[in-house]
Amino acid sequence: MFAPLGWFVGAALRLSRLTEERASPELIDPRPFAPLARHGTRLAAVWLVIQAIGMPLILFAPEGMDKELLRSAALLLLGLACFAAILLLLPCRGAHRVLRSAKQTELETVRGQIGEARRMREDDRLPGLLAWEARVESLSPSPIDAAALGRTGLLLLLPIGSWIGSAIVARFVDATMG
């Protein structure tokens, strides 16, 4: 289990580092960074599937099962969930830094232009510059968009879907076999 874990973390860190070193972001359109969020979702999915497989053990444990074993399994599954969240964010770390830096640079530039326009009494330039400043200020420096969060949310529903599916199959088998 530790070999794939190390590979996943190494791949995510490498992607993050490469993005930070080589990306030239378009501040208004962060869509080129969407594959990083999709990669993070795929990495998280592996651990969420493992968690989905182990969750029924805890929820539907037999009466006589050792409580310490159940507690250890619950802690392991909690750790897997935290690790899945880290793997979702890790590939996007470099893109987040690049976008945050580009946003800060653009804000410094536009604020300098606003100050210059005010000093020169160029009142016709101010509305456009102020609108641009507000637009840049409102931009999120995160490459994780609503679509990536939606996919991750669907993956979180995987355990619930598997439990419901197994309950339906169990009822069908019980009804069929008598």
Side-chain angles (χ1 to χ4, degrees):
M1 185 165 154
F2 290 108
L5 182 73
W7 184 85
F8 285 147
V9 169
L13 287 172
R14 232 173 292 121
L15 272 173
S16 177
R17 193 172 26 258
L18 283 171
T19 302
E20 197 170 356
E21 290 171 0
R22 299 184 181 174
S24 55
E26 176 61 40
L27 195 57
I28 298 299
D29 184 21
R31 281 182 294 176
F33 294 114
L36 295 171
R38 284 194 300 272
H39 183 69
T41 300
R42 285 186 204 111
L43 290 176
V46 171
W47 301 102
L48 291 173
V49 168
I50 291 171
Q51 186 175 9
I53 292 168
M55 191 65 77
L57 170 70
I58 294 171
L59 294 178
F60 305 113
E63 284 287 324
M65 192 162 194
D66 183 22
K67 298 296 181 192
E68 189 61 36
L69 179 64
L70 282 175
R71 206 171 294 122
S72 297
L75 285 174
L76 176 66
L77 290 178
L78 180 64
L80 286 173
C82 292
F83 190 67
I86 290 169
L87 283 175
L88 173 66
L89 299 174
L90 207 53
C92 300
R93 190 178 68 164
H96 176 77
R97 288 180 179 168
V98 166
L99 288 169
R100 187 181 62 214
S101 175
K103 178 179 174 178
Q104 191 62 35
T105 302
E106 187 63 26
L107 282 173
E108 289 171 5
T109 302
V110 75
R111 287 176 180 155
Q113 290 174 352
I114 289 170
E116 181 183 318
R118 288 180 66 203
R119 278 190 300 280
M120 302 298 263
R121 302 278 187 219
E122 296 174 347
D123 294 336
D124 56 326
R125 282 183 59 204
L126 278 176
L129 289 171
L130 291 172
W132 178 245
E133 178 191 31
R135 172 77 168 109
V136 171
E137 185 70 45
S138 71
L139 295 174
S140 171
S142 177
I144 299 176
D145 57 357
L149 290 177
R151 279 189 296 276
T152 306
L154 287 174
L155 288 171
L156 290 174
L157 293 176
L158 184 66
I160 295 170
S162 67
W163 303 329
I164 292 171
S166 66
I168 290 170
V169 168
R171 291 217 179 208
F172 176 74
V173 168
D174 286 345
T176 305
M177 299 296 186

